[in-house]
Amino acid sequence: MPRSTTAHIDLDALRTNYRKACERAGNARVMAVVKADGYGHGIARIASALADIAPKYAVACIEEAFAIRAAGHPQPVVLLQGVHAADDLADCVKNQFEPVLHGGHQLQWLGQGNHLPDFWLKVNTGMNRLGFRSDDLPSVMARLEKMNAFPWLQGFVSHFACADDAGSTMTSAQTATFEAATSPWPSLMKSVGNSAAHFIPGQPLFDWSRPGIMLYGGSPIVGKTGPELGLEPVMTLEAPLITTRTVRAGESVGYGAAWVAERDTRMGMVAIGYGDGYPRHAGTDTPAAIGGRRIRLIGRVSMDMLAVDLSNAPEAREGDMVELWGRTVGVDEVASCAGTISYELLTGITSRVPRICG
């Protein structure tokens, strides 16, 4: 029989988090960001769980949008990276995809088409990844007017670089740039609000917000965990204890002998490793849990296994399930120990780990 290493997906928690985003969005409507396979949770099941409450989805690329259509959902889908080839625009028209256009080459493709999709323009307000500079926007709009493309232009999009940092002034500066750049076209819609922006007091979210990580229970704010922000974990990652033993004082565990017992210590091996997407850099003292009791990792994470100190769970036995993250141990805690963010952990769980709803 297969091992019982599993990612449990709580779709009720997902819906609760989406409603929390709606509450925080005020008058803005909320498009659900389900890119990267629904942040590792499974794009089809995530889209299905939100289908009756989310009026619009957002993804990175067109193949993710097709996955939503394959799951049977008709809502408009915003393509945050736009399109990667001219022919993609015809697919956008046919399937009600809304590309975010960010470069002159995409405008050229738009002008070559006989039929246009609904589309957005990306405004570069300081992130400096994608988008038209604010001072170039008048010429871009003039070009679109000459193409008679205005009826399909939905509005403007930008993205914040430092909204996760409460001490940064960059978000307010980007907002001011965005408002000034788009003010000549007040009838067009605006969207800037990533997850972090929902937690900035007084931050305008305009017409559409775009929550991502907060839908899955991860924190978008530096120094805060998802539960501290009122978010519920959607993924609980579990794996079984496959052996237990007592390591004597002075003995080591695992590769590189990275952990040496200071005293006789009962430990266990857990059937999960970096081959499953658990972070290799999560070392000694990274929290886990068993039977609701917090325990800790010891030594190095290997490809298929990791070791835990069972001193705080003396009744633990082979076959018991270890929570790597979930309701007892937050994914943000594990991410901090691994020197990364919850986004990477959730999207990094490999296909070797089955996702089970319930």
Side-chain angles (χ1 to χ4, degrees):
M1 62 180 292
R3 63 181 187 158
S4 51
T5 301
T6 306
H8 295 274
I9 309 300
D10 185 344
L11 297 177
D12 287 337
L14 172 78
R15 291 166 64 87
T16 296
N17 293 336
Y18 178 83
R19 292 190 178 100
K20 176 72 72 173
C22 292
E23 291 171 6
R24 289 189 162 273
N27 293 327
R29 302 181 76 190
V30 178
M31 65 177 81
V33 181
V34 298
K35 62 182 181 176
D37 195 30
Y39 281 59
H41 294 68
I43 191 170
R45 70 173 59 89
I46 294 300
S48 296
L50 296 175
D52 63 333
I53 54 177
K56 197 187 292 275
Y57 300 110
V59 298
C61 47
I62 199 167
E63 54 266 36
E64 295 174 331
F66 278 124
I68 292 174
R69 290 292 179 265
H73 305 301
Q75 287 95 326
V77 183
V78 175
L79 310 184
L80 297 174
Q81 278 188 10
V83 291
H84 295 269
D87 292 344
D88 291 342
L89 289 169
D91 286 326
C92 290
V93 173
K94 181 179 179 181
N95 293 281
Q96 205 178 356
F97 300 156
E98 301 178 2
V100 177
L101 305 185
H102 55 80
H105 62 296
Q106 293 175 327
L107 297 184
Q108 183 178 355
W109 296 338
L110 192 72
Q112 294 170 356
N114 294 322
H115 302 283
L116 303 185
D118 290 342
F119 67 97
W120 299 75
L121 288 182
K122 182 70 170 282
V123 183
N124 176 18
T125 57
M127 186 74 159
N128 285 312
R129 295 190 310 184
L130 303 175
F132 300 98
R133 290 187 179 274
S134 58
D135 51 2
D136 290 333
L137 201 55
S139 63
V140 170
M141 296 297 282
R143 182 175 178 181
L144 291 174
E145 186 173 16
K146 187 175 182 179
M147 291 162 49
N148 296 317
F150 267 31
W152 293 272
L153 176 57
Q154 300 299 293
F156 305 100
V157 170
S158 195
H159 194 57
F160 293 136
C162 300
D164 59 338
D165 182 357
S168 174
T169 61
M170 188 168 182
T171 303
S172 60
Q174 286 189 261
T175 301
T177 298
F178 183 77
E179 289 182 307
T182 60
S183 61
W185 304 278
S187 64
L188 294 174
M189 293 187 291
K190 302 176 181 65
S191 176
V192 297
N194 58 4
S195 288
H198 289 72
F199 295 93
I200 300 175
Q203 171 61 43
L205 297 184
F206 301 106
D207 300 292
W208 284 94
S209 75
R210 308 189 306 271
I213 190 65
M214 70 176 293
L215 301 184
Y216 309 95
S219 172
I221 302 297
V222 173
K224 295 285 187 179
T225 66
E228 288 174 338
L229 297 173
L231 304 173
E232 297 189 13
V234 176
M235 179 189 291
T236 296
L237 183 64
E238 293 185 323
L241 275 178
I242 56 176
T243 189
T244 63
R245 61 164 41 89
T246 297
V247 179
R248 295 174 180 170
E251 292 182 336
S252 63
V253 172
Y255 286 117
W259 180 82
V260 178
E262 296 180 354
R263 59 183 182 278
D264 290 0
T265 303
R266 186 162 177 268
M267 55 80 69
M269 296 304 301
V270 186
I272 193 168
Y274 61 79
D276 302 290
Y278 190 85
R280 183 176 180 271
H281 297 296
T284 296
D285 293 331
T286 299
I290 189 166
R293 295 184 177 182
R294 291 170 69 96
I295 56 177
R296 64 174 186 144
L297 271 62
I298 53 177
R300 292 182 183 173
V301 175
S302 51
M303 183 179 289
D304 310 304
M305 292 179 286
L306 55 79
V308 291
D309 180 349
L310 295 176
S311 300
N312 200 39
E315 305 302 319
R317 295 291 181 269
E318 289 85 352
D320 288 348
M321 296 302 291
V322 176
E323 177 192 302
L324 287 310
W325 61 68
R327 292 197 174 270
T328 305
V329 173
V331 65
D332 298 303
E333 292 183 75
V334 178
S336 178
C337 290
T340 185
I341 54 177
S342 58
Y343 306 67
E344 182 178 18
L345 298 194
L346 294 174
T347 60
I349 297 302
T350 68
S351 59
R352 190 163 76 168
V353 179
R355 276 71 163 172
I356 299 177
C357 296

